[in-house]
Amino acid sequence: MAKVLIFLESANGKVKKSSLELLSAAQGQDVAGLLIDDGVSSVAQTLKNYPLKKVFVVNNPALKDFNSANYLAATAQVIQKFQPDIILASGSMTAKDLFPRVAAKFDAGFLGDCTQIKIEGTNAKVKRPLYSGKCVGEAEFTDSAKIKIVLMRPNQLPVPAEAASNCEVSEESFTAPAAKIRVKEVVKGSSTKPDLTEAAIIVSGGRGMKGPEHFKLLEDVANEIGATVGASRAVVDAGWVPHTMQVGQTGKTVAPNLYIACGISGAIQHLAGMSSSKVIVAINKDPEAPIFKKATYGIVGDAFEVLPKLKDAFHKLVAH
Ligand code: FAD
Protein backbone atom coordinates (compact mmCIF):
# COMPACT_ATOMS: atom_id res chain seq x y z
CA MET A 1 0.00 0.00 0.00
CA ALA A 2 1.31 3.45 -0.92
CA LYS A 3 1.28 6.51 1.32
CA VAL A 4 -0.43 9.12 -0.85
CA LEU A 5 -0.56 12.84 -0.08
CA ILE A 6 -3.21 14.75 -2.03
CA PHE A 7 -2.84 18.51 -2.50
CA LEU A 8 -6.35 19.90 -1.99
CA GLU A 9 -7.28 23.31 -3.37
CA SER A 10 -10.38 25.12 -2.17
CA ALA A 11 -12.65 27.94 -3.27
CA ASN A 12 -15.71 29.48 -1.59
CA GLY A 13 -15.30 27.32 1.52
CA LYS A 14 -15.25 24.00 -0.34
CA VAL A 15 -12.60 21.70 -1.76
CA LYS A 16 -12.54 22.03 -5.54
CA LYS A 17 -13.99 19.19 -7.63
CA SER A 18 -10.65 18.86 -9.48
CA SER A 19 -8.99 18.02 -6.13
CA LEU A 20 -11.72 15.62 -4.96
CA GLU A 21 -11.29 13.68 -8.22
CA LEU A 22 -7.78 12.72 -7.09
CA LEU A 23 -9.28 10.69 -4.23
CA SER A 24 -10.55 8.19 -6.85
CA ALA A 25 -7.01 7.50 -8.02
CA ALA A 26 -5.88 6.85 -4.44
CA GLN A 27 -8.68 4.56 -3.27
CA GLY A 28 -7.41 1.65 -1.19
CA GLN A 29 -4.16 3.48 -0.31
CA ASP A 30 -3.06 5.20 2.90
CA VAL A 31 -4.37 8.64 1.93
CA ALA A 32 -3.85 12.03 3.57
CA GLY A 33 -4.87 15.45 2.28
CA LEU A 34 -3.04 18.75 2.45
CA LEU A 35 -4.94 22.04 2.70
CA ILE A 36 -2.93 25.25 2.62
CA ASP A 37 -4.42 28.73 2.93
CA ASP A 38 -5.59 31.24 5.46
CA GLY A 39 -8.89 30.14 6.98
CA VAL A 40 -9.07 26.57 5.62
CA SER A 41 -9.88 24.89 8.94
CA SER A 42 -13.61 24.97 8.18
CA VAL A 43 -12.92 23.57 4.71
CA ALA A 44 -11.27 20.52 6.30
CA GLN A 45 -14.57 19.74 8.07
CA THR A 46 -16.25 19.30 4.66
CA LEU A 47 -13.93 16.32 4.00
CA LYS A 48 -15.37 14.10 6.71
CA ASN A 49 -17.40 12.22 4.10
CA TYR A 50 -14.57 11.41 1.72
CA PRO A 51 -12.11 8.49 1.71
CA LEU A 52 -9.23 10.12 3.60
CA LYS A 53 -7.57 9.07 6.84
CA LYS A 54 -6.13 12.45 7.70
CA VAL A 55 -6.06 16.05 6.50
CA PHE A 56 -3.07 18.25 7.29
CA VAL A 57 -4.22 21.86 7.56
CA VAL A 58 -1.63 24.62 7.29
CA ASN A 59 -3.60 27.70 8.17
CA ASN A 60 -1.69 30.95 8.37
CA PRO A 61 -2.13 34.60 7.24
CA ALA A 62 1.15 34.26 5.29
CA LEU A 63 -0.60 31.68 3.10
CA LYS A 64 -3.63 33.79 2.19
CA ASP A 65 -2.46 34.45 -1.36
CA PHE A 66 -0.30 32.01 -3.29
CA ASN A 67 3.35 32.74 -2.61
CA SER A 68 5.66 30.05 -3.96
CA ALA A 69 8.24 30.33 -1.13
CA ASN A 70 5.65 30.11 1.66
CA TYR A 71 3.66 27.34 -0.02
CA LEU A 72 6.85 25.38 -0.63
CA ALA A 73 7.80 25.69 3.04
CA ALA A 74 4.31 24.60 4.16
CA THR A 75 4.24 21.64 1.74
CA ALA A 76 7.77 20.56 2.69
CA GLN A 77 6.84 20.61 6.38
CA VAL A 78 3.95 18.19 5.80
CA ILE A 79 5.98 15.96 3.45
CA GLN A 80 8.65 15.60 6.13
CA LYS A 81 5.99 14.64 8.65
CA PHE A 82 3.87 12.26 6.49
CA GLN A 83 6.69 10.82 4.33
CA PRO A 84 4.50 10.08 1.28
CA ASP A 85 5.47 7.70 -1.52
CA ILE A 86 3.24 9.55 -3.98
CA ILE A 87 1.93 13.12 -4.12
CA LEU A 88 -1.12 13.85 -6.29
CA ALA A 89 -2.29 17.30 -7.35
CA SER A 90 -4.59 18.67 -10.00
CA GLY A 91 -2.64 20.52 -12.71
CA SER A 92 -3.78 24.02 -11.68
CA MET A 93 -1.64 27.14 -12.11
CA THR A 94 -0.78 26.91 -8.40
CA ALA A 95 0.28 23.25 -8.63
CA LYS A 96 2.28 23.84 -11.81
CA ASP A 97 4.23 26.55 -9.99
CA LEU A 98 4.57 24.75 -6.65
CA PHE A 99 5.34 21.12 -7.44
CA PRO A 100 8.40 21.50 -9.67
CA ARG A 101 9.87 23.38 -6.67
CA VAL A 102 8.84 20.54 -4.34
CA ALA A 103 10.40 18.01 -6.75
CA ALA A 104 13.66 19.96 -6.81
CA LYS A 105 13.76 20.27 -3.02
CA PHE A 106 13.17 16.56 -2.38
CA ASP A 107 14.89 15.20 -5.52
CA ALA A 108 11.52 13.67 -6.37
CA GLY A 109 10.22 12.28 -9.67
CA PHE A 110 7.70 14.51 -11.46
CA LEU A 111 5.10 13.69 -14.15
CA GLY A 112 2.73 16.46 -15.24
CA ASP A 113 -0.39 16.74 -17.42
CA CYS A 114 -1.44 13.12 -16.82
CA THR A 115 -4.83 11.89 -18.01
CA GLN A 116 -4.73 8.37 -16.49
CA ILE A 117 -3.11 7.00 -13.37
CA LYS A 118 -2.80 3.59 -11.73
CA ILE A 119 -1.08 3.12 -8.39
CA GLU A 120 0.81 -0.20 -8.17
CA GLY A 121 2.67 -0.90 -4.94
CA THR A 122 4.36 2.37 -4.14
CA ASN A 123 4.75 3.36 -7.79
CA ALA A 124 2.38 5.21 -10.13
CA LYS A 125 1.87 4.38 -13.80
CA VAL A 126 0.45 7.19 -15.87
CA LYS A 127 -0.64 8.06 -19.39
CA ARG A 128 -0.24 11.55 -20.75
CA PRO A 129 -0.68 13.24 -24.13
CA LEU A 130 2.54 14.22 -25.92
CA TYR A 131 3.38 16.42 -28.91
CA SER A 132 0.22 18.53 -28.59
CA GLY A 133 -1.93 15.42 -28.21
CA LYS A 134 -0.62 13.64 -31.34
CA CYS A 135 0.23 10.57 -29.25
CA VAL A 136 -0.15 9.27 -25.73
CA GLY A 137 2.89 8.27 -23.68
CA GLU A 138 3.01 5.80 -20.80
CA ALA A 139 5.38 6.45 -17.93
CA GLU A 140 6.26 5.21 -14.47
CA PHE A 141 8.88 6.20 -11.93
CA THR A 142 12.23 4.52 -11.43
CA ASP A 143 13.46 3.35 -8.03
CA SER A 144 15.62 6.45 -7.68
CA ALA A 145 12.46 8.57 -7.22
CA LYS A 146 11.70 8.09 -3.55
CA ILE A 147 8.82 10.57 -3.80
CA LYS A 148 6.72 10.48 -6.97
CA ILE A 149 4.74 13.58 -7.89
CA VAL A 150 1.85 13.33 -10.38
CA LEU A 151 -0.17 16.30 -11.67
CA MET A 152 -3.47 15.21 -13.24
CA ARG A 153 -5.53 17.11 -15.78
CA PRO A 154 -8.88 18.07 -14.23
CA ASN A 155 -12.06 16.21 -15.27
CA GLN A 156 -10.31 12.89 -15.92
CA LEU A 157 -11.53 10.99 -12.86
CA PRO A 158 -14.90 10.72 -11.09
CA VAL A 159 -15.36 12.21 -7.63
CA PRO A 160 -15.70 9.22 -5.26
CA ALA A 161 -19.05 8.64 -3.60
CA GLU A 162 -19.39 10.20 -0.16
CA ALA A 163 -19.12 7.81 2.79
CA ALA A 164 -18.43 8.70 6.41
CA SER A 165 -14.67 8.39 6.93
CA ASN A 166 -14.28 10.66 9.95
CA CYS A 167 -10.87 11.69 8.79
CA GLU A 168 -8.63 13.23 11.39
CA VAL A 169 -7.88 16.93 10.98
CA SER A 170 -4.32 17.83 11.97
CA GLU A 171 -3.72 21.57 12.36
CA GLU A 172 -0.04 22.27 11.68
CA SER A 173 1.73 25.23 13.26
CA PHE A 174 3.65 27.13 10.59
CA THR A 175 6.17 29.94 10.59
CA ALA A 176 6.71 31.53 7.20
CA PRO A 177 10.34 31.72 6.06
CA ALA A 178 12.02 35.11 5.74
CA ALA A 179 10.29 36.73 2.76
CA LYS A 180 12.06 36.60 -0.59
CA ILE A 181 8.84 37.32 -2.44
CA ARG A 182 5.99 39.64 -1.43
CA VAL A 183 2.62 39.29 -3.17
CA LYS A 184 1.39 42.87 -3.49
CA GLU A 185 -2.03 42.31 -4.99
CA VAL A 186 -4.17 39.54 -6.43
CA VAL A 187 -6.62 40.75 -9.06
CA LYS A 188 -9.51 38.34 -9.34
CA GLY A 189 -11.56 38.05 -12.53
CA SER A 190 -15.13 39.31 -12.34
CA SER A 191 -16.64 36.10 -13.75
CA THR A 192 -18.76 34.01 -11.41
CA LYS A 193 -18.42 31.02 -13.75
CA PRO A 194 -15.94 28.20 -13.05
CA ASP A 195 -12.46 28.66 -14.49
CA LEU A 196 -12.03 27.10 -17.93
CA THR A 197 -9.78 24.36 -16.54
CA GLU A 198 -12.55 23.22 -14.18
CA ALA A 199 -15.65 23.91 -16.25
CA ALA A 200 -17.89 20.94 -17.08
CA ILE A 201 -19.17 22.72 -20.21
CA ILE A 202 -17.30 25.21 -22.41
CA VAL A 203 -18.65 27.28 -25.31
CA SER A 204 -15.68 28.62 -27.28
CA GLY A 205 -15.52 31.18 -30.06
CA GLY A 206 -12.98 31.77 -32.83
CA ARG A 207 -12.35 34.20 -35.65
CA GLY A 208 -15.60 33.04 -37.26
CA MET A 209 -17.44 35.11 -34.63
CA LYS A 210 -16.28 38.18 -36.62
CA GLY A 211 -15.84 40.54 -33.65
CA PRO A 212 -15.92 40.85 -29.83
CA GLU A 213 -19.47 42.20 -29.84
CA HIS A 214 -20.72 38.83 -31.12
CA PHE A 215 -19.32 36.91 -28.13
CA LYS A 216 -22.65 37.86 -26.53
CA LEU A 217 -24.17 35.05 -28.66
CA LEU A 218 -21.79 32.58 -26.98
CA GLU A 219 -22.49 33.99 -23.52
CA ASP A 220 -26.24 33.64 -24.09
CA VAL A 221 -25.84 29.95 -24.91
CA ALA A 222 -23.38 29.47 -22.03
CA ASN A 223 -25.77 31.09 -19.53
CA GLU A 224 -28.52 28.63 -20.42
CA ILE A 225 -26.38 25.60 -19.58
CA GLY A 226 -23.98 26.94 -16.91
CA ALA A 227 -21.02 26.90 -19.29
CA THR A 228 -17.83 28.97 -19.28
CA VAL A 229 -16.86 30.87 -22.45
CA GLY A 230 -13.46 30.19 -24.04
CA ALA A 231 -11.70 31.37 -27.19
CA SER A 232 -9.10 30.55 -29.80
CA ARG A 233 -5.76 32.34 -29.88
CA ALA A 234 -6.70 34.23 -33.05
CA VAL A 235 -9.35 36.20 -31.19
CA VAL A 236 -7.16 36.69 -28.11
CA ASP A 237 -4.36 38.05 -30.32
CA ALA A 238 -6.89 40.34 -31.98
CA GLY A 239 -7.68 41.75 -28.52
CA TRP A 240 -11.35 40.65 -28.61
CA VAL A 241 -11.11 38.74 -25.31
CA PRO A 242 -8.46 38.37 -22.56
CA HIS A 243 -5.75 35.69 -22.62
CA THR A 244 -7.36 34.01 -19.59
CA MET A 245 -10.01 32.75 -22.05
CA GLN A 246 -7.56 31.16 -24.49
CA VAL A 247 -7.75 27.41 -25.01
CA GLY A 248 -4.83 25.60 -26.60
CA GLN A 249 -1.13 24.93 -26.61
CA THR A 250 -0.23 28.42 -25.38
CA GLY A 251 -3.48 28.85 -23.46
CA LYS A 252 -5.35 26.58 -21.09
CA THR A 253 -5.69 22.82 -21.35
CA VAL A 254 -9.30 21.86 -20.78
CA ALA A 255 -11.20 18.58 -20.61
CA PRO A 256 -14.89 19.36 -20.06
CA ASN A 257 -17.77 16.94 -20.53
CA LEU A 258 -18.96 19.12 -23.44
CA TYR A 259 -16.92 21.52 -25.61
CA ILE A 260 -18.83 23.58 -28.18
CA ALA A 261 -16.45 25.17 -30.73
CA CYS A 262 -18.01 27.98 -32.77
CA GLY A 263 -16.23 29.50 -35.75
CA ILE A 264 -12.98 27.74 -34.79
CA SER A 265 -11.06 26.03 -37.61
CA GLY A 266 -9.40 23.39 -35.41
CA ALA A 267 -5.70 24.18 -35.80
CA ILE A 268 -3.43 21.63 -34.11
CA GLN A 269 -2.46 24.19 -31.45
CA HIS A 270 -6.13 24.68 -30.51
CA LEU A 271 -6.82 20.93 -30.52
CA ALA A 272 -3.85 20.45 -28.17
CA GLY A 273 -5.82 22.22 -25.45
CA MET A 274 -9.26 20.65 -25.85
CA SER A 275 -9.08 17.31 -27.65
CA SER A 276 -9.52 15.30 -24.44
CA SER A 277 -13.00 16.84 -23.97
CA LYS A 278 -15.54 14.04 -23.62
CA VAL A 279 -18.00 15.35 -26.24
CA ILE A 280 -17.01 17.95 -28.87
CA VAL A 281 -19.59 19.84 -30.91
CA ALA A 282 -18.27 21.94 -33.80
CA ILE A 283 -20.23 24.72 -35.50
CA ASN A 284 -18.50 25.89 -38.66
CA LYS A 285 -19.72 27.02 -42.05
CA ASP A 286 -16.86 25.26 -43.85
CA PRO A 287 -17.58 21.51 -44.11
CA GLU A 288 -13.84 20.90 -44.69
CA ALA A 289 -12.77 22.63 -41.43
CA PRO A 290 -10.31 20.34 -39.56
CA ILE A 291 -12.31 20.70 -36.32
CA PHE A 292 -14.90 18.29 -37.77
CA LYS A 293 -12.30 15.49 -37.73
CA LYS A 294 -12.15 15.78 -33.92
CA ALA A 295 -15.82 16.57 -33.34
CA THR A 296 -18.29 14.07 -31.90
CA TYR A 297 -21.10 16.07 -33.56
CA GLY A 298 -20.70 18.61 -36.34
CA ILE A 299 -23.08 21.38 -37.38
CA VAL A 300 -22.21 22.80 -40.80
CA GLY A 301 -23.76 26.24 -40.66
CA ASP A 302 -23.45 29.91 -39.90
CA ALA A 303 -22.78 30.43 -36.17
CA PHE A 304 -24.96 33.56 -36.31
CA GLU A 305 -27.96 31.43 -37.25
CA VAL A 306 -27.12 28.30 -35.24
CA LEU A 307 -26.29 29.91 -31.87
CA PRO A 308 -29.66 31.67 -31.30
CA LYS A 309 -31.45 28.41 -32.20
CA LEU A 310 -29.21 26.47 -29.83
CA LYS A 311 -29.92 28.99 -27.08
CA ASP A 312 -33.70 28.60 -27.56
CA ALA A 313 -33.43 24.79 -27.64
CA PHE A 314 -31.37 24.74 -24.42
CA HIS A 315 -33.80 27.18 -22.81
CA LYS A 316 -36.72 24.84 -23.54
CA LEU A 317 -34.76 21.83 -22.30
CA VAL A 318 -33.71 23.53 -19.05
CA ALA A 319 -37.26 24.86 -18.50
CA HIS A 320 -38.68 21.30 -18.55
P1 FAD B 1 -9.34 30.64 -38.13
O1 FAD B 1 -8.33 29.59 -38.34
O2 FAD B 1 -9.29 31.87 -38.95
O3 FAD B 1 -10.75 29.91 -38.30
C1 FAD B 1 -11.97 30.58 -38.31
C2 FAD B 1 -13.03 29.54 -38.65
O4 FAD B 1 -14.31 30.15 -38.56
C3 FAD B 1 -12.91 28.96 -40.06
O5 FAD B 1 -12.86 27.54 -39.99
C4 FAD B 1 -14.18 29.43 -40.77
O6 FAD B 1 -14.70 28.47 -41.67
C5 FAD B 1 -15.11 29.62 -39.60
N1 FAD B 1 -16.18 30.62 -39.83
C6 FAD B 1 -16.08 31.83 -40.42
N2 FAD B 1 -17.27 32.47 -40.39
C7 FAD B 1 -18.13 31.62 -39.75
C8 FAD B 1 -19.49 31.71 -39.42
N3 FAD B 1 -20.23 32.80 -39.69
N4 FAD B 1 -20.07 30.66 -38.80
C9 FAD B 1 -19.35 29.53 -38.50
N5 FAD B 1 -18.06 29.40 -38.81
C10 FAD B 1 -17.44 30.44 -39.41
N6 FAD B 1 -4.45 28.73 -31.33
C11 FAD B 1 -5.30 28.50 -30.32
O7 FAD B 1 -6.52 28.50 -30.48
N7 FAD B 1 -4.79 28.26 -29.06
C12 FAD B 1 -3.47 28.24 -28.79
O8 FAD B 1 -3.08 28.04 -27.64
C13 FAD B 1 -2.55 28.46 -29.87
N8 FAD B 1 -1.22 28.42 -29.66
C14 FAD B 1 -0.38 28.57 -30.73
C15 FAD B 1 1.00 28.43 -30.57
C16 FAD B 1 1.85 28.58 -31.64
C17 FAD B 1 3.34 28.40 -31.42
C18 FAD B 1 1.33 28.86 -32.91
C19 FAD B 1 2.25 29.01 -34.09
C20 FAD B 1 -0.03 29.01 -33.10
C21 FAD B 1 -0.89 28.89 -32.03
N9 FAD B 1 -2.28 29.02 -32.19
C22 FAD B 1 -3.11 28.74 -31.14
C23 FAD B 1 -2.86 29.55 -33.43
C24 FAD B 1 -3.45 28.49 -34.34
O9 FAD B 1 -2.43 28.01 -35.20
C25 FAD B 1 -4.57 29.10 -35.21
O10 FAD B 1 -4.07 30.21 -35.91
C26 FAD B 1 -5.80 29.56 -34.41
O11 FAD B 1 -6.22 28.54 -33.55
C27 FAD B 1 -6.92 29.92 -35.38
O12 FAD B 1 -7.98 30.45 -34.68
P2 FAD B 1 -9.46 30.33 -35.26
O13 FAD B 1 -9.80 28.90 -35.48
O14 FAD B 1 -10.34 31.14 -34.37
O15 FAD B 1 -9.35 31.14 -36.62
Side-chain angles (χ1 to χ4, degrees):
M1 188 190 288
K3 291 185 82 174
V4 182
L5 182 66
I6 299 187
F7 181 66
L8 300 165
E9 293 184 67
S10 66
N12 307 320
K14 287 201 293 202
V15 175
K16 289 185 177 179
K17 177 179 169 286
S18 52
S19 294
L20 291 174
E21 287 167 7
L22 303 168
L23 295 168
S24 294
Q27 268 176 347
Q29 312 296 333
D30 180 1
V31 188
L34 168 59
L35 269 168
I36 302 177
D37 205 334
D38 182 24
V40 276
S41 297
S42 58
V43 178
Q45 302 304 325
T46 68
L47 288 163
K48 295 256 175 202
N49 291 338
Y50 287 101
L52 275 162
K53 279 197 181 151
K54 190 168 188 163
V55 189
F56 294 96
V57 178
V58 196
N59 191 1
N60 189 293
L63 301 164
K64 185 172 182 298
D65 295 318
F66 177 69
N67 172 319
S68 50
N70 290 353
Y71 269 55
L72 175 60
T75 307
Q77 185 178 314
V78 171
I79 290 173
Q80 267 145 3
K81 190 167 178 185
F82 184 62
Q83 300 279 323
D85 301 302
I86 298 170
I87 300 175
L88 298 181
S90 178
S92 63
M93 298 305 272
T94 299
K96 283 182 192 164
D97 185 322
L98 174 63
F99 283 99
R101 297 170 197 273
V102 174
K105 185 173 175 70
F106 287 91
D107 196 19
F110 180 93
L111 287 165
D113 199 25
C114 303
T115 51
Q116 287 182 39
I117 175 168
K118 196 166 176 217
I119 296 176
E120 288 182 1
T122 57
N123 205 339
K125 293 188 172 175
V126 303
K127 288 192 179 173
R128 53 191 199 136
L130 299 170
Y131 303 112
S132 301
K134 287 198 196 75
C135 63
V136 176
E138 288 185 17
E140 63 183 351
F141 296 92
T142 63
D143 291 342
S144 64
K146 200 166 169 308
I147 300 177
K148 298 112 190 153
I149 301 175
V150 175
L151 300 197
M152 290 292 296
R153 270 193 198 179
N155 281 330
Q156 303 300 312
L157 299 161
V159 173
E162 294 190 32
S165 66
N166 285 324
C167 71
E168 179 197 340
V169 176
S170 173
E171 297 267 357
E172 304 298 304
S173 62
F174 174 73
T175 309
K180 292 200 179 90
I181 301 166
R182 192 177 314 114
V183 178
K184 288 176 77 178
E185 191 187 5
V186 175
V187 182
K188 293 216 160 87
S190 55
S191 174
T192 52
K193 299 274 178 60
D195 183 75
L196 279 174
T197 54
E198 287 169 19
I201 310 177
I202 294 173
V203 181
S204 256
R207 196 151 32 200
M209 295 308 296
K210 313 274 188 235
E213 65 280 16
H214 300 129
F215 266 61
K216 168 92 174 56
L217 290 170
L218 303 171
E219 277 155 22
D220 287 348
V221 172
N223 287 340
E224 292 293 341
I225 49 176
T228 301
V229 176
S232 71
R233 175 165 161 176
V235 308
V236 171
D237 286 352
W240 297 359
V241 296
H243 181 257
T244 48
M245 287 171 66
Q246 185 181 318
V247 172
Q249 189 181 316
T250 44
K252 290 183 176 162
T253 303
V254 300
N257 295 333
L258 173 62
Y259 187 90
I260 305 178
C262 311
I264 293 177
S265 59
I268 184 75
Q269 297 89 353
H270 188 80
L271 299 179
M274 46 63 78
S275 57
S276 51
S277 305
K278 294 192 179 65
V279 173
I280 298 170
V281 175
I283 304 169
N284 197 304
K285 66 179 187 185
D286 173 9
E288 302 298 324
I291 189 81
F292 287 125
K293 292 205 177 83
K294 272 280 168 199
T296 326
Y297 301 101
I299 302 175
V300 179
D302 187 331
F304 293 85
E305 289 170 18
V306 176
L307 284 170
K309 287 183 183 155
L310 208 55
K311 181 196 152 199
D312 290 346
F314 283 144
H315 187 76
K316 281 183 197 143
L317 264 179
V318 173
H320 281 96

